[in-house]
Amino acid sequence: MIGHHPLPGAALSLTDVRKRFGRTDIIRGITLDLVRGERHALIGPNGAGKSTTFGLISGGLAPTSGEIRLNGHRIDGMKPQEIARRGLARSFQVTNIFPRLTVAENLRCAALWPLGVRYSPFRSVGSLGDVRDRVEEMLELIGLAHVRDRPAGLLAYADQRALEIGVTVAGQPSVILLDEPTAGMSHAETDRAIALISRVSEGRTLLIVEHDMGVVFGLADRISVLVYGMVIATGTPAQIRGDRKVRDAYLGEEAL
Amino acid sequence: MTRFLTSAGLLPWLFFLAVLAVVPMIAGSSTAVTVASAAAVNVVFALSYNMLLGRGGMLSFGHAVYFGLGGYAAIYALRAIEAGWLPLPVAALPLVGFAGGLLAGAVLGWPTCRRAGTPFAMLSLGVGELIAAIALMFSGLFGGEEGIAGDRTAGPALFGVTFGQGQEVLILLLGWIFLATLAMWAFTRTPLGQMSLAIRDNPDRVAFVGYDPQRVRHRVFTVAAGFGGLAGGMAAINYEIITPDMLGLGPSGHVLVMTFIGGIGTFYGPIIGAALITTMQSLLPDYTTGWQFYLGALFVLMVMFQPRGVSGLVETVRQAIADGEVRERLPRWIRTVLAAVCLAGGGSIAFEMILRWREAEEPLELAGIPLMADGATGWVLAATLAVAGLALLRLKARRVAGGRLAEEVAR
């Protein structure tokens, strides 16, 4: 999209981002601005490129062309750890925690670098007060204080998903990307997950991929619809509901 | 460091200290002192290896490189002490080994640690072979096949101790075990030690919490190489000679076997493994020329049936005690042990009969009865034991299956 200028003060902005695998264009030009503090949902049919988009933003993948800016600074093509250090954190669709570490240790690993600890082989992690405090705070927040010393791999599925979110936000990132946080959950579990997401995204910018339209329309300030690697519409939930292109391409009548 | 040793954590250390203190008392003969000293070196070597395998998820086939290079650093320092221009007590040589291993690990670890998993294992093997080949080529520096020798008694006596006697050396090495173990335990409690577990579990996620997995690996590798070098420094004192063999593939595989048999899932496992294997290596040759077969068989069977090693068994028992399930699990344990003894007995008799027949050695004797490969007695005994062992295992399996079925029905 020629002539797009990133919104001044945008937390995250993508300008004409493209990704080609071999001869296949998976992402065919995404332009998107996330206003600081907004909750933005990315929806679209399977294979639209939502997870690829997350990979491009969070550094697992490098875009073929286009620009990605985090708080005004270019991050496209950077390594995941470089992007994470700049305050962008993501969760994964398939739970991606440290299975043999305890719940508290999982959160600790995620809190160390953002609290400035780095690679020290001389200090004791137990003596780092701010790390300890952050871990306690996160345990309370995600409601897993009672299983703090249990290996994460032994938790129930919904608890692992909560820990996945905890690991994502333990470093207090300014921008959070959540990839299908409620996938595979029961109704009650989904409700708890939504409450948790609302809490942890308080005062931060959130980009969420989600298939559950109830979750999307209940949580998001704005929604972008991705179809075949392109954003066909961006707007408030009401605007998206009324958008004819979106109905034709994806949502269908009854889903609304 | 005091933080690591709070109340509940203190008990294992007191126990460890007590064991270390008892060793020189019970090691009366010079053979026992030799075995215990060799085990002391191997304990530190195996613990350093487990920093890679058990706590970093790095399967290295070249850890002896750092053991050997640390050993060379220490043996050269020893010669400098002999020559009179290095004012260092001989007892401090493991520190020189540590520095040597650390430096070598920092340099050689950089290419090795660029990748994880299988590529790491192959790179470690390649670097190991490369350094071993170089060590043989530069015979001026590494002493060729004879290696470089030193004299530990040449230094100035410290508190009247000259290390002329094996007993004195053993006590020194035991002291170094304690210090090195304490330091390696402390390392597990540091941010780097914590992230080492994280890259073992899930290297991909580590990058998304801000750490560079490659750098975590490299730093852990460097520290492990340092402690490997410290063990090499202990070897320099103990053997007073370091040869190119010591940094080759043989010792690299040996440390893997010791560590694995001891158990890589616990911190203390490698201590048990190193002590056990070193003792077996020293005692078994007195009984059979086929002793290497038994070590190999033990390793293979451990990998197949008890991948958590000896310390895994210890932890199972400890867990059962904590859960109050000892009484109900004891019959099964006894059956398993009996089955293992029967199968091992049957297998050993068969193996020994064939070996002694092929090599024309003294026949195996059991309670005065010779068991010959061309006679029936031995084979009947071996077969009976094997059948009894298998029957015990089947009984166990049936009971377990039956128990599970009952549980499911109840549900």
Side-chain angles (χ1 to χ4, degrees):
Chain A
M1 192 184 289
I2 294 157
H4 170 262
H5 295 286
L7 191 71
L12 181 69
S13 62
L14 283 70
T15 306
D16 197 25
V17 171
R18 289 163 189 273
K19 179 67 181 176
R20 165 185 288 251
F21 288 108
R23 299 173 117 184
T24 317
D25 291 312
I26 299 297
I27 304 298
R28 302 187 299 154
I30 294 183
T31 296
L32 190 65
D33 287 305
L34 262 65
V35 183
R36 192 149 303 163
E38 81 167 310
R39 290 175 181 149
H40 199 114
L42 190 61
I43 64 172
N46 284 327
K50 303 185 295 293
S51 287
T52 306
T53 307
F54 264 31
L56 294 171
I57 298 171
S58 63
L61 298 167
T64 309
S65 67
E67 283 184 11
I68 304 174
R69 288 175 189 270
L70 177 65
N71 299 317
H73 300 287
R74 286 282 290 269
I75 57 164
D76 46 273
M78 280 187 181
K79 290 184 176 146
Q81 62 266 28
E82 294 169 328
I83 295 171
R85 289 170 197 169
R86 282 174 164 75
L88 182 144
R90 68 165 295 182
S91 76
F92 291 81
Q93 191 181 341
V94 177
T95 306
N96 197 1
I97 50 181
F98 305 111
R100 286 161 71 189
L101 301 192
T102 67
V103 171
E105 284 177 316
N106 266 270
L107 296 168
R108 188 200 265 162
C109 287
L112 286 176
W113 192 283
L115 288 169
V117 176
R118 316 194 73 174
Y119 299 101
S120 173
F122 299 113
R123 298 155 79 182
S124 153
V125 274
S127 69
L128 301 166
D130 43 355
V131 172
R132 236 176 24 227
D133 294 346
R134 179 69 60 80
V135 169
E136 292 307 319
E137 186 189 321
M138 293 308 304
L139 283 169
E140 288 302 323
L141 187 67
I142 62 176
L144 296 182
H146 61 292
V147 287
R148 54 181 305 146
D149 294 323
R150 191 169 301 172
L154 301 183
L155 294 181
Y157 177 73
D159 287 346
Q160 287 194 0
R161 296 302 294 171
L163 182 59
E164 174 81 34
I165 293 174
V167 168
T168 305
V169 300
Q172 299 198 331
S174 63
V175 177
I176 302 170
L177 274 54
L178 299 181
D179 197 350
E180 296 198 29
T182 71
M185 284 188 177
S186 70
H187 276 299
E189 288 165 349
T190 301
D191 289 344
R192 271 203 300 279
I194 295 168
L196 173 60
I197 293 164
S198 310
R199 256 178 292 150
V200 299
S201 60
E202 200 71 56
R204 305 175 202 285
T205 310
L206 174 72
L207 181 62
I208 180 172
V209 165
E210 184 54 65
H211 275 300
D212 186 326
M213 287 305 128
V215 174
V216 169
F217 285 97
L219 193 70
D221 301 315
R222 286 200 302 157
I223 298 170
S224 290
V225 183
L226 192 65
V227 176
Y228 291 123
M230 288 171 80
V231 174
I232 61 164
T234 293
T236 61
Q239 286 168 333
I240 293 299
R241 264 200 196 97
D243 192 301
R244 176 133 303 272
K245 271 187 302 182
V246 175
R247 285 175 190 234
D248 292 346
Y250 174 48
L251 285 176
E253 295 292 335
E254 68 270 50
L256 304 171
Chain B
M1 213 128 102
T2 46
R3 284 204 73 89
F4 306 131
L5 297 177
T6 46
S7 53
L10 198 59
L11 212 59
W13 288 102
L14 289 176
F15 175 71
F16 185 45
L17 204 57
V19 171
L20 292 179
V22 163
V23 169
M25 292 179 207
I26 57 170
S29 66
S30 69
T31 314
V33 169
T34 308
V35 174
S37 298
V41 173
N42 285 341
V43 162
V44 174
F45 190 23
L47 278 171
S48 77
Y49 184 73
N50 205 36
M51 293 175 101
L52 297 176
L53 182 59
R55 309 190 70 87
M58 290 179 265
L59 174 61
S60 169
F61 291 112
H63 195 51
V65 164
Y66 309 98
F67 174 81
L69 291 179
Y72 272 107
I75 206 84
Y76 270 108
L78 179 58
R79 288 168 76 101
I81 294 170
E82 282 172 47
W85 61 266
L86 185 65
L88 189 78
V90 170
L93 280 179
L95 284 181
V96 177
F98 181 81
L102 202 69
L103 187 68
V107 175
L108 298 172
W110 189 245
T112 314
C113 294
R114 292 190 67 83
R115 307 284 301 277
T118 309
F120 171 88
M122 292 199 272
L123 282 169
S124 74
L125 179 69
V127 170
E129 286 290 80
L130 206 65
I131 299 299
I134 287 173
L136 274 175
M137 278 174 229
F138 291 80
S139 55
L141 192 58
F142 293 92
E145 280 178 14
E146 277 101 72
I148 302 280
D151 179 2
R152 68 183 173 222
T153 61
L158 199 68
F159 310 116
V161 178
T162 57
F163 301 116
Q165 290 178 2
Q167 190 84 12
E168 290 171 352
V169 174
L170 176 59
I171 291 169
L172 173 70
L173 296 181
L174 292 170
W176 273 110
I177 288 192
F178 189 72
L179 289 178
T181 307
L182 203 59
M184 283 186 261
W185 171 253
F187 176 78
T188 67
R189 300 295 166 145
T190 64
L192 186 57
Q194 175 74 80
M195 294 317 294
S196 160
L197 298 181
I199 51 156
R200 173 198 70 191
D201 269 25
N202 190 347
D204 295 336
R205 187 66 191 253
V206 165
F208 290 96
V209 298
Y211 280 88
D212 182 341
Q214 199 174 309
R215 279 178 195 250
V216 174
R217 269 198 301 278
H218 179 242
R219 276 159 216 240
V220 171
F221 188 93
T222 302
V223 176
F227 283 103
L230 191 145
M234 290 166 70
I237 296 177
N238 189 37
Y239 304 115
E240 299 180 287
I241 186 167
I242 300 291
T243 63
D245 292 349
M246 291 165 101
L247 41 74
L249 193 53
S252 286
H254 188 227
V255 73
L256 162 60
V257 170
M258 289 191 296
T259 308
F260 192 89
I261 287 178
I264 63 172
T266 58
F267 179 79
Y268 64 87
I271 302 177
I272 299 177
L276 182 74
I277 298 303
T278 313
T279 311
M280 279 176 71
Q281 275 176 324
S282 311
L283 298 184
L284 280 181
D286 291 347
Y287 299 97
T288 169
T289 51
W291 58 277
Q292 279 169 313
F293 167 81
Y294 293 98
L295 284 182
L298 178 66
F299 180 60
V300 170
L301 292 172
M302 275 284 186
V303 174
M304 288 173 70
F305 300 110
Q306 180 55 32
R308 290 166 67 218
V310 177
S311 69
L313 297 174
V314 175
E315 289 300 308
T316 305
V317 174
R318 253 173 52 162
Q319 189 62 46
I321 293 171
D323 297 346
E325 288 178 351
V326 176
R327 189 168 297 199
E328 70 191 72
R329 296 183 69 173
L330 200 59
R332 243 183 73 195
W333 290 343
I334 292 171
R335 265 202 304 278
T336 310
V337 170
L338 279 178
V341 168
C342 287
L343 288 170
S348 312
I349 288 171
F351 173 74
E352 286 295 324
M353 284 194 302
I354 296 170
L355 176 75
R356 286 163 194 240
W357 171 61
R358 282 295 314 166
E359 301 300 309
E361 290 174 19
E362 288 271 303
L364 184 67
E365 271 189 29
L366 224 59
I369 306 164
L371 306 176
M372 318 276 274
D374 50 1
T377 329
W379 291 111
V380 170
L381 183 60
T384 312
L385 282 170
V387 169
L390 288 174
L392 279 165
L393 279 184
R394 271 193 70 88
L395 184 71
K396 184 186 139 197
R398 283 242 301 274
R399 285 275 174 94
V400 172
R404 266 194 213 129
L405 195 67
E407 257 172 50
E408 265 161 42
V409 170
R411 216 177 282 158

